[in-house]
Structure formats: structure tokens, C-alpha cells
Amino acid sequence: ETYKKADTELNEVYQQILELYSDDTPFVEALKTSQRNWISFRDSEVKMKYPDREPGWYGSIHPMCVSYYMADLTNERTEKLREWLANFEEGDACAGSVRDN
């Protein structure tokens, strides 16, 4: 449930960004690429923390531990993406694709 909640929130933020920036095709394509790469990164991070081992290696709570770790990584990504939903500070020369919403 913890991971499902985090994943749902991430997808909601992602969809909001897609809608808000729908008129910015280069950004939307870059966002989609970034998200695909992040999913690969997330999966690699989980594999690094819990490499494949023989059954029982990590104990019976292993699925729960993986879920919590994935939720943590997902929450971090969601917070990073929220930058595109917040207003940037006036005069921020490094705002890049983040715009005043």
C-alpha cells in the first residue's frame, strides 16, 4: 500500500505536468524520456540494494522492504517533479523549462 500510494501520487503529478506543459512539445518529449530513464534508474537502485540471491536470503519481509524502498525513491522523484508545478522565483536565470504557472 505504501508504494501504491507513492506511485499514484507520482502519476498524478506527472499527468498535471503533461497537461500544464502540453503546448511545449520539446519539454514534454524530454519529460517522457526522463521518466522512462528514471524508472530504469529506480529499478536498478532496487536491484543494487537487493541483488538476486537464492530464495530466503533476505527473509520473509523482503517484499515489504522492497516496497518501502521503492516508495522512498518514488517520493523523491515526485518532489523533484513538483518543481514544474510551482512558480519559479522572478529573475531566476536558471529556471530552464520551469515557467511561471
Side-chain angles (χ1 to χ4, degrees):
E1 287 301 313
T2 301
Y3 171 68
K4 284 182 185 180
K5 181 181 174 192
D7 190 54
T8 297
E9 185 176 358
L10 172 65
N11 285 308
E12 288 171 359
V13 168
Y14 180 77
Q15 290 302 319
Q16 289 172 13
I17 295 169
L18 286 176
E19 184 177 323
L20 189 61
Y21 288 78
S22 64
D23 62 338
D24 188 348
T25 304
F27 169 77
V28 168
E29 290 306 313
L31 172 63
K32 289 177 180 179
T33 299
S34 176
Q35 193 63 12
R36 283 190 300 272
N37 290 338
W38 177 80
I39 290 168
S40 293
F41 168 79
R42 178 203 62 199
D43 293 348
S44 295
E45 288 290 298
V46 171
K47 185 71 91 175
M48 179 180 67
K49 185 158 185 157
Y50 301 106
D52 290 336
R53 309 269 189 198
E54 62 270 5
W57 177 271
Y58 298 109
S60 61
I61 64 166
H62 177 244
M64 183 183 69
C65 295
V66 169
S67 179
Y68 282 148
Y69 191 55
M70 287 181 67
D72 286 344
L73 294 169
T74 302
N75 288 331
E76 288 173 8
R77 175 65 174 174
T78 301
E79 287 309 306
K80 188 64 174 165
L81 288 178
R82 284 187 195 284
E83 180 178 346
W84 280 266
L85 297 177
N87 292 329
F88 67 92
E89 271 190 53
E90 185 66 36
D92 183 355
C94 296
S97 60
V98 178
R99 61 184 181 200
D100 189 7
N101 299 318

